Amino acid sequence: MARCRPCDLRVLVAVACGLLTAIILGLGIWRTVIRIQRVTVAPPSSTPAVFCRNGGTWENGRCICTEEWKGLRCTIANFCENSTYMGFTFARIPVGRYGTSLETCDKNTLNAGSPIAIRLCNVSIYGEIELQNATIGNCNENLETLENQIVNITVDSKNISAEAQVLTSDASKLTAENITSATKVVGQIFNASRKAEPEAKKVAVTTVSQLLDASEDAFQRAAATDNDNAFTTLIEQMENYSLTLGNESVMEPNIAIQSVNLEGSEGSTKIRYSVFRGSSESLVSCSTSVDTNVDRLDPDGRTQLQILLSTNKSTKACGFVLYQNNKLFQSKTFTAKSNFSQKIISSKVNENDQDQTLSVEMVFSPKYNQKEYQLHAYACVYWNFLTKDWDTYGCSKDKGTDGFLGCRCNHTTNFAVLMTFKKDYKYPESLDILSNIGCALSITGLALTIIFQIVTRKVRKTSVTWVMVSLCTSMLIFNLIFVFGIENSNKNLNTRESDIDIDFDDNQMLTEDTIETPNPSCTVIAAFLHYFLLATFTWSGLSASQLYFLLIRAMKPLPPHFIIFISLIGWGVPAIVVAITVGIIYSQSGSNSHWELDYRQEEICWLAIPNNNDFIKSPFLWSFLIPTIIILISNVVIFIVITIKVLWKNNQNLTSTKKVSSLKKILSTLSIAVVFGVTWILSYFMLINDDDIRIVFSYVFCLFNTTQGLQIFILYTVRTKIFQSEASKVWKSLSSSVGRVKSLPSLRLRVRMYNMLRSLPALHESFRLLEPSEVIEETTLTESDQITIKQYLQIRDYFLCSFKDAHFQRVLKTRPELPTTPRPLRPAHGRQTGNTSCQENRKCPVTPCACVYPLARASYNRSSSEEAGGRLGRSCRVVFGPASLAPAHAL
């Protein structure tokens, strides 16, 4: 069998890599085409994305507009334009809101920085949008000083109420102390014993609505320091106020109050209070209705909330208070994390609340992002003034109309539905064929590279073995965990809303509005992936540093204990980073049972990707992105330096640099780029917002990085002479085992051919005989066959050198100065073998040999060698030059 030449092996490897690349790129193009076709043939949406204008969103079959717009497509103006009044300038003001002046109090005043005046934008009785007169505040008055004037409410309630309204007009600037002070002032205005004017109480309702625009954090801090029960007092006083309006109502953006006068009614009756959806979230845009003498609830698609109050014949009046959110009801047992609007409805009658003849039925239409969340459970609760918290006593769930949550209670007070949601995560599909093929090839290549580096470390005698083995080990473990553990096992759980079964018999108190299914194993896998990927980048950086010392600073020795030092860095620093990250997250969120999601994602077992608002504070940024960016930048810099100064630099004084081909330079450049992880830069192009561009870079990134282990195997293992030699031996062994049976007939055929050629000397210079396999000598033959083999080997050896002599004689015609007598050489010794003829000592099937023609003090001429001898069969070459210029590895 002919020997596999290195160039043939390179061609084979190149063809294999080319085919693999073509297959993976073909799969990528195919996936892209399929995706484009799916987008093209997808049925058009029933509602175009641009149907809702001016910031409106499409929800439940209609547009939900901002407060400044209304109409079917949010195209009708619902605001007052910029205006000026008494020297004060006001920006655009939504209907039902008070706008603040652009002019603020001077910095030397007590109320520095606060707006001086406010102005109401309202709708006239004729349906026209109009601006009211401005209310001017006092810059030397603030909420703390106003709190001290509570004793004067009886005589000055109107001014105090107006001043409180001005001071709370800018909710974004309200602090916990401001909220506490304003709550105390407004609570006393509603207090019937203070005898405040009715107009002052209506203005106080506006103040409460403005307070409910303040941040949740400010309310939580205010409730924590509320030692005077200011929140409780305000809620109770507003309930009492709802009984005094006759049949009138007060509507503000965040609060609505309705009174029902039952005087003159005979016997018990039922009152139904309904709140219907408007064009925006503001209660001003909503419509309400009160129906008496009804027997049941009757919600429809427009209903947000409906309550049915059963009264007795002694009931003279009842009132309802609707809160847009639950900020005044700060619970100690229920924690709200989402920003879903939680409406609170209060019902009040002028009789004893514990009267057993009273009953309340309610239905709530839950509002939440149905694309991301699904309802998991709910509880019917009321606000207990004694415990200052939600309670389920006297309330139960009721199977109401589809799409609504029903409740029933045997007393009247502030009611709510506490809901628990479960996020409907979009778990990704399993790794596609492209990723599986790439990772499988990488795992195989990395494993073979590690074995090769360890087994041949003494033969190669190179100091980069430990760095390469460590890099491949971390990359191999990362790929294994990535393939078998990246998917979250929660993916297999049922998460469809139709699978959720709400227990209507169990009205248990809830503790939080969102729940997660814990999965500690996924957290452990995320930590391991975090560690080994950081270790991979760290070892690539250390590999770059080591090559820099070896190639750029070649004249200087490596630092002492270099291997121990880099080992501590390569395996220790990533462990420290991961431990600190997990420790900090657990210390901050350890009390939360779902602290794991602050570290990892739920969709996959990998680091959590935070929202844009929290990106700067995210552990993903500080524990992964920044370290990898620093390593990649340093690797790229070292890569450029090595490429310019070593790989592609041609020194005219060095013959070796002239003979290096461009292909070898390219392969060397790719070898360093792969180890340095330069291809990871492509991951940043995947952050582009354009889907078409991002999908292209995604496949390119997948192609280069999932096959990184395979690239290392090809460039650092397959290309080495040791691997090629061992691979050739294995290949010959396998081939010989297959052709062992056919060896003898082949040998006899060659002997006959030789005899024929010998009878025709003219053909000596035109044919080259093929060598028999080495295992011929190991085959069990007859005695006559063995004699034939021995004779054949002697004849063949003679023929081979004679055949090359014929070529040499042609060279002598052009080079008369060359000697005509060949001198034999054994490559194993690298010197002549005495007077023994070349033909008698040739054993090409067993030991490589060469016929060396000495030149009198002539330099080695490779071109002449190739012309005269070239390769004989597998391992024989005729070489021109002194014996010292023909070592064994040159054959």
Side-chain angles (χ1 to χ4, degrees), residues 507-518:
N507 190 33
Q508 186 177 359
M509 180 67 186
L510 304 178
T511 57
E512 54 187 355
D513 62 344
T514 56
I515 64 169
E516 304 290 346
T517 303

Side-chain angles (χ1 to χ4, degrees), residues 523-797:
T523 305
V524 174
I525 291 174
F528 276 115
L529 287 174
H530 186 193
Y531 170 73
F532 283 107
L533 188 55
L534 276 182
T536 299
F537 277 102
T538 305
W539 278 111
S540 69
L542 293 173
S543 176
S545 302
Q546 187 182 37
L547 283 181
Y548 178 82
F549 278 108
L550 294 176
L551 299 179
I552 305 301
R553 301 181 60 184
M555 301 305 295
K556 297 182 179 181
L558 292 174
H561 308 293
F562 184 73
I563 298 299
I564 298 177
F565 180 70
I566 63 175
S567 298
L568 293 176
I569 295 177
W571 297 113
V573 171
I576 294 174
V577 172
V578 174
I580 292 177
T581 304
V582 175
I584 292 176
I585 294 176
Y586 184 78
S587 63
Q588 293 178 347
S589 307
S591 58
N592 184 359
S593 59
H594 309 302
W595 67 271
E596 303 170 6
L597 295 183
D598 292 334
Y599 176 69
R600 65 166 175 86
Q601 304 178 41
E602 174 64 21
E603 293 86 349
I604 57 175
C605 300
W606 178 238
L607 299 180
I609 307 298
N611 297 326
N612 295 331
N613 297 334
D614 300 329
F615 189 75
I616 300 299
K617 301 179 181 179
S618 68
F620 177 76
L621 174 66
W622 297 102
S623 66
F624 181 74
L625 281 185
I626 291 181
T628 55
I629 290 174
I630 294 174
I631 294 174
L632 282 177
I633 292 175
S634 62
N635 285 2
V636 169
V637 172
I638 296 176
F639 170 73
I640 294 173
V641 171
I642 293 177
T643 302
I644 295 175
K645 291 189 175 183
V646 178
L647 300 181
W648 291 86
K649 183 178 181 181
N650 291 329
N651 192 336
Q652 300 300 327
N653 298 324
L654 295 177
T655 306
S656 59
T657 59
K658 298 179 182 179
K659 297 179 181 179
V660 178
S661 64
S662 297
L663 177 61
K664 188 173 183 179
K665 292 180 179 179
I666 293 175
L667 290 176
S668 300
T669 304
L670 290 177
S671 301
I672 296 178
V674 169
V675 173
F676 286 10
V678 176
T679 55
W680 279 87
I681 298 176
L682 296 172
S683 62
Y684 295 96
F685 292 97
M686 296 168 61
L687 302 176
I688 299 175
N689 292 329
D690 193 309
D691 290 339
D692 296 332
I693 298 177
R694 186 169 60 249
I695 190 66
V696 172
F697 279 107
S698 297
Y699 279 105
V700 175
F701 174 81
C702 183
L703 171 65
F704 283 103
N705 287 279
T706 57
T707 60
Q708 189 176 4
L710 177 64
Q711 298 169 40
I712 292 177
F713 172 69
I714 294 174
L715 297 173
Y716 286 87
T717 302
V718 175
R719 291 181 62 226
T720 60
K721 294 182 179 180
I722 299 176
F723 180 84
Q724 293 175 4
S725 175
E726 296 298 325
S728 178
K729 292 179 181 178
V730 173
W731 176 259
K732 287 188 295 183
S733 177
L734 293 176
S735 300
S736 62
S737 63
V738 175
R740 181 174 299 175
V741 179
K742 301 180 180 179
S743 299
L744 184 59
S746 175
L747 173 60
R748 290 174 177 174
L749 179 62
R750 295 187 183 189
V751 173
R752 293 171 184 172
M753 183 181 294
Y754 168 74
N755 293 330
M756 182 189 68
L757 292 175
R758 195 175 181 187
S759 64
L760 300 173
L763 296 179
H764 279 201
E765 300 181 4
S766 303
F767 293 90
R768 178 183 300 176
L769 293 181
L770 297 176
E771 285 188 327
S773 176
E774 296 178 13
V775 297
I776 295 175
E777 300 179 45
E778 302 175 1
T779 309
T780 303
L781 303 174
T782 63
E783 182 178 357
S784 59
D785 288 336
Q786 293 178 357
I787 296 173
T788 304
I789 293 173
K790 182 177 180 180
Q791 292 174 348
Y792 168 73
L793 291 176
Q794 294 176 350
I795 296 171
R796 186 204 57 185
D797 290 342

Side-chain angles (χ1 to χ4, degrees), residues 32 101 109 198 265 621:
T32 305
S101 63
T109 60
S265 61
L621 174 66

